[in-house]
Amino acid sequence: MAPRATVDVEFSVRVTKPGPAAISVAAAHADTDELTVSWHGESELVEFEHGTRAEVFELPKGEHRVSYHAERALGEAEPEPVTRADAAVFTRPSRYCPSDRIAGLVPPELYALKSDRKKVDTIVRHVHQRLSYVVGSSRPTDDAIDTLLAGEGVCRDFAHVCITLCRFLDIPARYVGVYAPGLSPMDFHAVFEAGVDGLWYVFDATHLAPRQTMLRISTGRDAADTAFFATLGCELDFLGSTVFATTDTALPHDDWRELVALD
């Protein structure tokens, strides 16, 4: 039998002004999944490109809890092709990936490389060596340049820097929110996909969890497109979250030099 992954998420909010909010925690291609909320009300499913789904709820005033459970078989994924639309969107600067302003921070060795594969591998290695992973070190407003100047960050910051350097070199790159069995401390995780030889492959400069067992949640230009919870008119206080992602077999060894596709 194929190995299986299990995901459990729970978070709580205190709504001070009622209104709509979008919850985007669904694992792509889950065999079974269930989203449970502690208030009564219907939701609207909103689907985006590249497998991102969001449930939009009208949140009443008060404290509420959200729970999500999913299970999925794991297997080797086939890489998706990079479409013309992908290339047009994912080579442009975005909120957290200002590729039009990073020229002075680009490693000089990148200019001499010919193939996109070597460029992406060099970017991942450079970011892994240049940045320190420090929980709580970055602000929600920090972009890739802020992170490079600070020299530290968390997974979203590592992904933003890699994406920005790829786009500077006209390599399509996109941000992906994932569940990552083996991640420590366990939480939502961020990685990136880059277009290599016309196909999307996943990369992670933090090297904190094997790519082969990651489960896609959301895909976008950067973290602004992929929040697991977003207010659309309500006002609230976020009270905390827990995330658990596990597999029923031993985690695989990830050779970071190999190309891996994300389902």
Side-chain angles (χ1 to χ4, degrees):
M1 293 179 61
R4 297 185 64 80
T6 300
V7 170
D8 285 287
V9 178
E10 186 171 296
F11 62 89
S12 301
V13 296
R14 181 186 298 112
V15 177
T16 55
K17 176 185 175 183
I23 300 170
S24 185
V25 295
H29 311 300
D31 299 323
T32 61
D33 68 345
E34 182 180 14
L35 181 68
T36 305
V37 297
S38 63
W39 65 90
H40 298 290
E42 295 185 356
S43 66
E44 178 185 355
L45 176 63
V46 180
E47 298 189 67
F48 304 91
E49 290 186 287
H50 313 298
T52 305
R53 292 182 289 155
E55 294 273 359
V56 179
F57 291 88
E58 288 287 336
L59 299 186
K61 193 172 181 179
E63 288 193 13
H64 307 295
R65 185 178 66 256
V66 176
S67 300
Y68 175 73
H69 174 81
E71 297 180 15
R72 205 193 84 182
L74 297 171
E76 187 173 348
E78 289 294 324
E80 297 179 8
V82 179
T83 67
R84 284 291 183 92
D86 289 339
V89 171
F90 296 114
T91 54
R92 300 180 187 181
S94 60
R95 165 66 181 85
Y96 294 108
C97 301
S99 52
D100 55 340
R101 296 192 289 111
I102 203 170
L105 297 173
V106 175
E109 63 267 28
L110 285 173
Y111 294 105
L113 300 175
K114 300 300 181 183
S115 75
D116 287 348
R117 170 71 184 279
K118 289 182 178 180
K119 291 175 183 177
V120 176
D121 285 344
T122 301
I123 287 169
V124 172
R125 184 171 61 253
H126 171 79
V127 173
H128 179 72
Q129 295 172 349
R130 170 76 182 269
L131 300 183
S132 297
Y133 187 93
V134 181
V135 175
S137 60
S138 60
R139 302 164 297 179
T141 55
D142 284 351
D143 63 20
I145 293 176
D146 296 320
T147 299
L148 277 172
L149 294 177
E152 60 185 19
V154 294
C155 57
R156 61 170 262 161
D157 305 304
F158 279 63
H160 284 154
V161 173
C162 290
I163 291 168
T164 304
L165 291 171
C166 284
R167 291 179 185 171
F168 177 82
L169 299 172
D170 293 322
I171 299 171
R174 62 192 189 186
Y175 183 101
V176 188
V178 298
Y179 295 115
L183 183 69
S184 181
M186 179 56 67
D187 204 340
F188 295 104
H189 192 45
V191 295
F192 79 101
E193 289 177 303
V196 176
D197 297 328
L199 298 172
W200 287 114
Y201 292 99
V202 61
F203 300 88
D204 182 6
T206 71
H207 293 184
L208 290 178
R211 293 169 294 165
Q212 293 87 344
T213 52
M214 291 178 180
L215 307 179
R216 185 191 303 269
I217 307 171
S218 53
T219 310
R221 296 167 298 175
D222 54 34
D225 291 343
T226 58
F228 73 92
F229 187 84
T231 59
L232 304 177
C234 66
E235 295 179 4
L236 55 81
D237 298 315
F238 188 74
L239 303 180
S241 64
T242 58
V243 178
F244 294 99
T246 60
T247 63
D248 61 2
T249 59
L251 292 170
H253 169 71
D254 193 349
D255 183 343
W256 299 101
R257 297 167 298 180
E258 294 182 356
L259 291 175
V260 174
L262 188 64
D263 198 2

